[in-house]
C-alpha cells in the first residue's frame, strides 16, 4: 500500500498510528462509521503483525517467542530516577586510601579446639567470650575484672557502630538518598540542658483541658461542633436530694428545715451588721456581774478610770457559734 | 533523637523495594474510583475498564466527595491514594448535569498529578451486548495491540495529548519476549472529529494466508464507546522534563566466567567439585547379580546337560 511508509509503528508497544486518514466531516450512519473504523484498524493491525512475524523467533514450549525491541514512543516515568547510593564514611576513606575489600573464607581454624569453625555466628572460631581464664598483667590493679572490661568494651564498640550508622543514614537522608526499606523517625524531643524532656500529655489530661477550654464559650460548650470521636464533656457528678412532692398541707417540716437552712446560711454570710439585741444585753449583764464580783474582791478604783468595757457589738449567730466552738 | 525504622520481615521489605524508584520501572498500575454522583452508564464503564486491566488495576467502590482533579485543593486525596496503592494512572468517574458521564484520566509523577484529560462517554456498548464466538475472547493480561487512526491525533493538540494518555493506559507491561500465540486483542482508537474519539476493543482472529504472516481479522468483543474530549491539563515544562528523563542505556550486565581468547574464541572455566569416593552411593547390583548368576547357571547348565546326556547315553 502506498501509505504504509507513512504509518508510525512502535513495535515495543505493539502500536501503529495512521495520521493520514481523513474522516468525512458529515458522518454516515453509525454502523458505517464503525465499520470504517474497524477496517482501518484491521489494516494497521496487519502491518504490526507483518513486522512481528518477521522478527527472528525462537521456539519454546508454548509457541514461537520473539524478542521485542524496546518501545520508541517516549512516555513519562512514574517515579523519579533512583539516585546513586552515596558512599558512607568508611567507603570514602577506603577509596581514598586504596583499601580493597578482600574475600574471606567461610571457615577459620579455631586455635583452641583445633577444628574448623565458622567465622562469625553461633559457635564461632576464636571467640573472645569463651575464654575461661584471663591471666592478670603486672599493670592491673587488684580487684580489676577483665571480663567486665571485655563486656563494656564490646558495648562501647557496638554503640560507636550504631552512632556511625546513624550518621551515615542521616547524611543520606539529607541528600535524599535513603535506601527504600529504611525510614528515619523522631522518637523524643532532644534534651535541653538539665531539663528532662516534657512528658507527653495523657488522654485523660487532654480531655480535662479540652473540657475546661470548652466552658469558656457562652453556652458552656453545649452547642460546639464536636470532632469525630469526641465524647460529650462529662459533668461533675452532683447529688441532689429532692424532697417528696406532697407532705401534708402547707409547708412540710422537711421543706421548712431546708428553707431554714438556706436562709441561715445566707444570713450568716451577709450579716456583718445584724445584731441580736437580746443576746447582747444578757451577755453584757452577765459580764457586768462578773466584774462586780471581781471588783468587790480587788481594790476599789473609780469606775471612771477603768477602761470602759464596751459590750461586744458583733453579736450574730456566727459570733455565738464561734463562742460555742471555742467552748 | 532519630530512630531507624526498618521492616521486621522480608515480605514487607520486598514490597518496599518493589515500590522504590528504579531504573527500569514496573508497569503502571491504574486506580479506578468515582465521585459522589455516578450514572449507570458510568458505573458500567468503570467496571469494564477494571476488567480489561485486571491484575494491574485497583478499583475503589466508595464515593469520594472531596476529589476535584481540576481544582487546586481537590487533588490531595488522589495523590494520597496514589501513594498508598502505588498507582500512577487513575480514572475518576463522575456525573453532573453540566458534565454528564464524565471520566477524568490522569497520570501522576512521583505521586503528584502530572497531567489530566477529561472526556465524556457517549454511545457506550458494554461487553455483554456483543455476540461473538467464545473462542475469540481475549485472555486477561494479554498484551494488546493498539491502532490509532485519524489525522486528528496529529493535528489537534488535545487529541495528541489524549493519544499519549490512552497509550499509557491501554498498553500493558513492557516486555522483552512475546509469545506470538498470545496475541489476541486490539484496541482501535479513531479520531472521528476534532474532539471525538471512537474507542473499541476487539479480539483477533488469525487466518491462514499464503505466507508465514497470518491474516488478521478483527471481531468486536469488548466495550466500545465514544469519548468526547472536554478539558485537559498538560504537564508544566519542568515537570515534563524531569519525568521524561531517562538514564543512558544501561551498562551491559557483566557476564561472569566468560573470557575471550584470540585463538580459541569465547572461553569459560568449568569447576567440578572434588569427588568423595568414600561417600558415593553403592549401585544396586541386585539385578546385575541375578544376570551374572543366570549366565553362570547357563554355562554350568550346558555342562550339566552334556554330562547328563552323557550319563543317559552311557546308561
Amino acid at each position: 500500500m502506498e501509505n504504509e511508509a507513512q504509518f508510525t509503528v512502535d513495535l515495543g508497544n505493539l502500536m501503529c498510528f495512521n495520521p493520514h486518514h481523513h474522516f468525512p466531516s458529515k458522518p454516515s450512519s453509525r454502523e458505517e462509521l464503525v465499520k470504517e473504523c474497524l477496517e482501518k484498524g484491521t489494516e494497521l493491525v496487519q502491518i504490526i503483525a507483518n513486522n512481528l512475524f518477521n522478527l527472528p523467533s525462537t521456539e519454546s514450549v508454548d509457541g514461537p517467542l520473539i524478542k521485542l525491541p524496546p518501545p520508541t514512543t517516549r512516555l513519562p516515568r512514574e517515579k523519579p530516577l533512583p539516585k546513586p547510593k552515596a558512599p558512607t564514611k568508611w567507603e570514602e576513606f577506603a577509596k581514598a586510601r586504596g583499601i580493597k575489600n578482600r574475600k574471606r573464607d567461610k571457615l577459620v581454624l579455631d586455635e583452641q579446639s583445633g577444628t574448623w569453625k565458622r567465622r562469625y555466628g553461633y559457635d564461632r572460631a576464636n571467640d573472645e567470650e569463651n575464654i575461661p581464664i584471663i591471666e592478670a598483667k603486672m599493670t592491673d590493679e587488684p580487684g580489676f575484672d577483665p571480663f567486665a572490661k571485655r563486656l563494656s568494651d564490646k558495648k562501647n564498640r557496638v554503640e560507636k557502630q550504631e552512632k556511625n550508622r546513624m550518621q551515615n543514614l542521616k547524611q543520606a537522608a539529607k541528600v535524599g538518598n535513603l535506601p527504600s526499606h529504611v525510614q528515619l523517625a523522631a522518637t523524643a524531643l532532644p534534651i535541653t540542658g538539665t531539663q528532662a524532656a516534657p512528658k507527653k500529655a495523657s488522654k485523660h489530661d487532654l480531655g480535662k483541658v479540652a473540657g475546661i477550654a470548652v466552658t469558656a464559650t457562652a453556652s458552656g460548650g453545649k452547642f460546639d461542633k464536636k470532632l469525630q470521636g469526641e465524647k460529650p464533656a462529662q459533668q461533675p457528678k452532683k447529688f441532689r436530694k429532692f424532697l417528696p412532692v406532697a407532705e401534708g398541707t402547707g409547708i412540710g417540716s422537711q421543706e421548712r428545715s431546708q428553707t431554714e437552712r438556706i436562709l441561715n446560711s445566707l444570713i450568716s454570710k451577709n450579716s456583718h451588721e445584724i445584731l441580736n439585741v437580746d443576746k447582747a444585753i444578757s451577755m453584757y449583764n452577765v459580764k457586768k456581774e462578773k466584774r462586780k464580783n471581781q471588783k468587790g474582791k480587788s481594790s476599789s478604783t473609780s469606775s471612771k478610770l477603768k477602761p470602759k468595757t464596751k459590750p461586744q457589738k458583733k453579736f450574730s449567730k456566727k459570733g455565738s457559734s464561734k463562742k460555742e466552738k471555742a467552748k | 533523637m532519630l530512630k531507624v525504622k526498618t521492616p521486621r520481615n522480608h515480605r514487607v521489605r520486598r514490597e518496599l523495594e518493589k515500590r522504590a524508584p528504579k531504573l527500569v520501572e514496573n508497569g503502571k498500575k491504574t486506580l479506578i474510583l468515582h465521585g459522589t454522583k455516578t450514572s449507570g452508564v458510568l458505573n458500567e464503564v468503570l467496571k469494564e475498564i477494571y476488567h480489561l486491566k485486571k491484575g494491574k488495576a485497583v478499583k475503589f467502590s466508595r464515593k469520594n466527595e472531596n476529589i476535584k482533579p481540576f481544582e487546586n485543593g481537590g487533588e490531595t486525596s488522589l495523590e494520597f491514594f496514589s501513594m498508598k496503592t502505588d498507582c500512577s494512572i487513575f480514572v475518576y468517574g463522575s456525573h453532573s448535569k453540566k458534565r454528564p458521564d464524565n471520566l477524568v484520566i490522569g497520570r501522576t509523577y512521583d505521586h503528584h498529578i502530572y497531567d489530566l484529560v477529561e472526556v465524556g462517554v457517549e454511545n457506550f456498548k458494554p461487553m455483554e451486548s456483543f455476540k461473538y464466538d467464545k473462542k475469540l475472547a481475549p485472555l486477561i493480561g494479554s498484551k494488546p495491540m493498539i491502532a490509532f487512526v485519524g489525522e486528528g491525533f496529529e493535528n489537534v493538540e488535545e487529541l495528541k495529548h489524549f493519544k499519549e494518555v490512552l497509550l499509557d493506559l491501554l498498553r500493558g507491561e513492557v516486555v522483552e519476549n512475546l509469545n506470538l500465540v498470545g496475541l489476541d486483542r486490539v484496541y482501535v482508537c479513531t479520531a472521528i472529529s476534532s474532539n471525538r474519539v471512537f474507542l473499541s476493543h476487539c479480539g483477533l482472529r488469525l487466518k491462514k494466508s499464503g505466507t508465514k504472516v497470518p491474516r488478521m481479522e478483527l471481531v468486536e468483543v469488548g466495550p466500545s464507546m465514544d469519548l468526547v474530549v472536554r478539558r485537559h491539563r498538560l504537564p508544566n515544562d519542568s515537570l515534563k522534563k524531569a519525568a521524561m528523563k531517562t538514564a543512558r542505556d544501561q551498562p551491559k550486565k557483566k557476564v561472569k566466567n566468560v573470557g575471550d581468547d584470540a585463538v580459541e574464541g569465547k572461553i569459560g572455566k568449568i569447576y567440578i567439585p572434588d569427588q568423595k569416593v568414600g561417600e558415593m552411593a553403592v549401585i544396586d547390583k541386585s539385578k546385575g547379580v541375578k544376570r551374572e548368576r543366570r549366565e553362570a547357571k547357563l554355562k554350568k547348565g550346558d555342562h550339566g546337560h552334556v554330562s547328563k546326556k552323557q550319563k543317559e547315553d552311557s546308561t
Side-chain angles (χ1 to χ4, degrees):
Chain A
M1 280 181 277
E2 68 273 34
N3 282 340
E4 225 179 272
Q6 292 157 342
F7 294 168
T8 334
V9 178
D10 179 0
L11 268 187
N13 280 330
L14 296 183
M15 179 191 81
C16 191
F17 175 33
N18 173 5
H20 296 288
H21 187 84
H22 176 73
F23 276 90
S25 46
K26 181 91 197 251
S28 30
S29 81
R30 173 108 187 144
E31 273 121 29
E32 293 248 343
L33 195 62
V34 170
K35 223 167 78 175
E36 199 185 338
C37 296
L38 288 185
E39 267 173 36
K40 287 288 162 191
T42 324
E43 255 179 52
L44 293 179
V45 170
Q46 192 64 54
I47 294 169
I48 303 179
N50 289 345
N51 288 355
L52 276 182
F53 280 83
N54 286 331
L55 285 175
S57 72
T58 55
E59 275 297 318
S60 85
V61 182
D62 306 314
L65 267 183
I66 47 163
K67 193 164 182 314
L68 275 180
T72 53
T73 357
R74 277 183 60 193
L75 290 167
R77 288 176 61 96
E78 60 170 346
K79 292 185 184 130
L81 282 167
K83 297 196 194 89
K85 247 174 69 162
T88 59
K89 270 189 86 178
W90 167 254
E91 283 173 3
E92 283 173 359
F93 178 77
K95 210 160 96 175
R97 287 293 205 93
I99 302 172
K100 288 227 177 7
N101 199 15
R102 59 172 202 277
K103 208 92 184 178
R104 292 175 224 248
D105 296 324
K106 247 193 252 188
L107 296 176
V108 185
L109 180 63
D110 179 26
E111 280 135 18
Q112 203 224 348
S113 63
T115 54
W116 291 85
K117 290 194 178 169
R118 61 195 76 161
R119 212 171 56 79
Y120 56 83
Y122 175 73
D123 189 27
R124 51 180 169 266
N126 303 327
D127 190 359
E128 244 189 22
E129 292 158 12
N130 278 350
I131 302 174
I133 304 169
I134 302 178
E135 287 180 23
K137 288 190 282 196
M138 295 299 284
T139 49
D140 289 340
E141 323 171 333
F144 167 69
D145 184 4
F147 298 102
K149 181 165 189 305
R150 288 205 171 192
L151 277 177
S152 64
D153 276 349
K154 175 152 185 179
K155 197 157 165 230
N156 287 338
R157 270 182 280 138
V158 169
E159 271 176 23
K160 178 171 178 287
Q161 179 57 31
E162 272 303 308
K163 189 167 71 88
N164 287 345
R165 176 178 174 232
M166 185 62 76
Q167 285 296 335
N168 278 332
L169 286 173
K170 270 200 235 172
Q171 195 62 33
K174 235 202 288 188
V175 180
N177 226 346
L178 215 49
S180 58
H181 54 269
V182 176
Q183 276 177 299
L184 285 181
T187 47
L189 295 171
I191 296 177
T192 49
T194 49
Q195 280 179 332
K199 232 173 66 176
K200 240 180 162 178
S202 69
K203 191 160 126 183
H204 184 68
D205 290 334
L206 281 175
K208 250 203 218 164
V209 168
I212 295 170
V214 127
T215 51
T217 54
S219 56
K222 204 163 151 189
F223 303 106
D224 281 353
K225 197 170 181 187
K226 290 229 171 355
L227 291 171
Q228 199 189 48
E230 193 182 332
K231 294 197 188 128
Q234 241 195 356
Q235 302 275 329
K237 294 197 176 119
K238 272 189 195 170
F239 297 104
R240 278 193 73 179
K241 203 165 141 195
F242 289 98
L243 297 172
V245 173
E247 211 193 328
T249 54
I251 186 167
S253 63
Q254 280 182 343
E255 207 180 325
R256 175 173 286 138
S257 55
Q258 192 188 53
T259 41
E260 224 178 77
R261 219 182 310 132
I262 294 171
L263 276 175
N264 287 339
S265 61
L266 277 175
I267 290 169
S268 64
K269 274 191 196 158
N270 303 309
S271 58
H272 303 289
E273 256 72 57
I274 295 175
L275 184 62
N276 186 348
V277 184
D278 298 327
K279 212 157 190 174
I281 292 172
S282 57
M283 281 181 107
Y284 176 68
N285 287 339
V286 164
K287 264 218 163 143
K288 211 173 164 186
E289 277 177 48
K290 261 195 188 166
R291 254 183 239 117
K292 266 189 180 166
N293 295 343
Q294 281 184 346
K295 240 190 185 176
K297 288 175 189 170
S298 63
S299 59
S300 57
T301 39
S302 69
S303 55
K304 282 187 188 171
L305 290 174
K306 264 201 177 160
K308 218 180 184 182
T309 52
K310 287 187 187 163
Q312 283 186 334
K313 253 197 177 176
K314 290 196 176 166
F315 266 176
S316 60
K317 282 271 170 157
K318 199 175 173 190
S320 60
S321 64
K322 258 194 188 167
K323 281 205 165 170
E324 281 172 14
K325 274 188 193 162
K327 277 185 186 170
Chain B
M1 287 264 272
L2 288 175
K3 197 171 73 157
V4 182
K5 273 171 74 171
T6 45
R8 285 197 294 179
N9 47 2
H10 281 281
R11 180 178 60 88
V12 178
R13 197 197 178 104
R14 270 177 270 136
E15 267 301 318
L16 283 174
E17 286 184 0
K18 255 194 238 173
R19 295 190 177 194
K22 294 187 200 138
L23 216 53
V24 175
E25 292 188 319
N26 313 335
K28 294 191 180 181
K29 289 214 293 211
T30 311
L31 176 64
I32 301 173
L33 35 59
H34 59 88
T36 23
K37 197 158 162 227
T38 46
S39 57
V41 167
L42 207 59
N43 283 337
E44 287 278 321
V45 171
L46 291 175
K47 202 167 67 166
E48 307 242 321
I49 295 179
Y50 175 61
H51 281 308
L52 287 177
K53 299 206 78 192
K54 204 102 181 248
K56 279 284 191 171
V58 178
K59 183 169 187 294
F60 283 175
S61 51
R62 285 214 201 146
K63 297 185 195 171
N64 302 292
E65 5 176 87
N66 50 352
I67 295 183
K68 294 178 176 63
F70 277 90
E71 281 170 42
N72 259 334
E75 310 169 329
T76 43
S77 251
L78 270 176
E79 295 179 356
F80 175 71
F81 290 146
S82 153
M83 189 151 78
K84 282 289 171 174
T85 55
D86 195 31
C87 290
S88 45
I89 314 182
F90 64 86
V91 176
Y92 169 75
S94 68
H95 177 78
S96 70
K97 208 154 158 196
K98 188 172 171 195
R99 294 178 226 276
D101 297 335
N102 203 23
L103 272 185
V104 179
I105 308 175
R107 294 184 287 183
T108 59
Y109 173 71
D110 199 17
H111 303 297
H112 293 298
I113 303 263
Y114 176 75
D115 65 0
L116 302 163
V117 178
E118 187 176 51
V119 288
V121 178
E122 288 176 20
N123 302 327
F124 173 68
K125 284 171 80 184
M127 280 197 266
E128 289 93 30
S129 65
F130 290 98
K131 295 199 183 27
Y132 51 91
D133 185 9
K134 286 298 166 200
K135 276 188 269 180
L136 295 173
L139 295 170
I140 291 179
S142 57
K143 190 156 171 74
M145 296 207 254
I146 313 178
F148 289 101
V149 186
E151 56 178 11
F153 282 127
E154 184 77 30
N155 302 337
V156 182
E157 214 216 271
E158 293 185 331
L159 287 187
K160 226 158 114 176
H161 181 218
F162 188 40
K163 171 171 167 281
E164 199 190 313
V165 174
L166 268 183
L167 182 62
D168 219 348
L169 178 71
L170 297 176
R171 73 163 178 176
E173 287 206 36
V174 179
V175 285
E176 253 194 39
N177 300 320
L178 184 69
N179 189 349
L180 289 172
V181 173
L183 284 172
D184 53 4
R185 58 165 88 190
V186 183
Y187 288 103
V188 178
C189 318
T190 38
I192 309 177
S193 74
S194 65
N195 66 344
R196 193 178 272 255
V197 172
F198 169 69
L199 171 67
S200 167
H201 175 235
C202 306
L204 268 185
R205 188 187 274 149
L206 305 172
K207 283 207 167 144
K208 265 202 197 338
S209 78
T211 60
K212 81 172 161 178
V213 182
R215 200 158 62 82
M216 298 280 164
E217 203 182 289
L218 261 61
V219 176
E220 270 206 271
V221 157
S224 83
M225 56 189 106
D226 273 4
L227 299 170
V228 181
V229 176
R230 287 178 185 156
R231 291 189 279 185
H232 75 133
R233 193 204 283 182
L234 288 167
N236 53 355
D237 280 333
S238 55
L239 202 56
K240 186 166 182 182
K241 250 211 259 175
M244 289 295 207
K245 234 200 279 189
T246 47
R248 286 262 146 199
D249 286 25
Q250 292 165 275
K252 268 196 213 149
K253 262 193 166 172
K254 200 167 131 194
V255 186
K256 289 186 179 175
N257 198 24
V258 171
D260 252 320
D261 191 24
V263 175
E264 293 170 30
K266 222 189 226 192
I267 51 170
K269 262 194 196 173
I270 303 177
Y271 295 90
I272 306 179
D274 295 332
Q275 268 190 321
K276 294 200 178 96
V277 183
E279 288 171 27
M280 281 206 299
V282 180
I283 20 172
D284 181 19
K285 286 201 224 146
S286 50
K287 275 205 170 153
V289 168
K290 275 196 183 153
R291 200 190 318 140
E292 277 174 350
R293 275 207 190 138
R294 236 186 292 138
E295 284 175 358
K297 255 196 190 165
L298 272 175
K299 275 197 196 153
K300 244 171 109 192
D302 283 344
H303 288 300
H305 277 297
V306 163
S307 58
K308 273 192 178 163
K309 269 192 181 156
Q310 279 179 346
K311 269 191 181 166
E312 281 175 14
D313 276 354
S314 61
T315 50

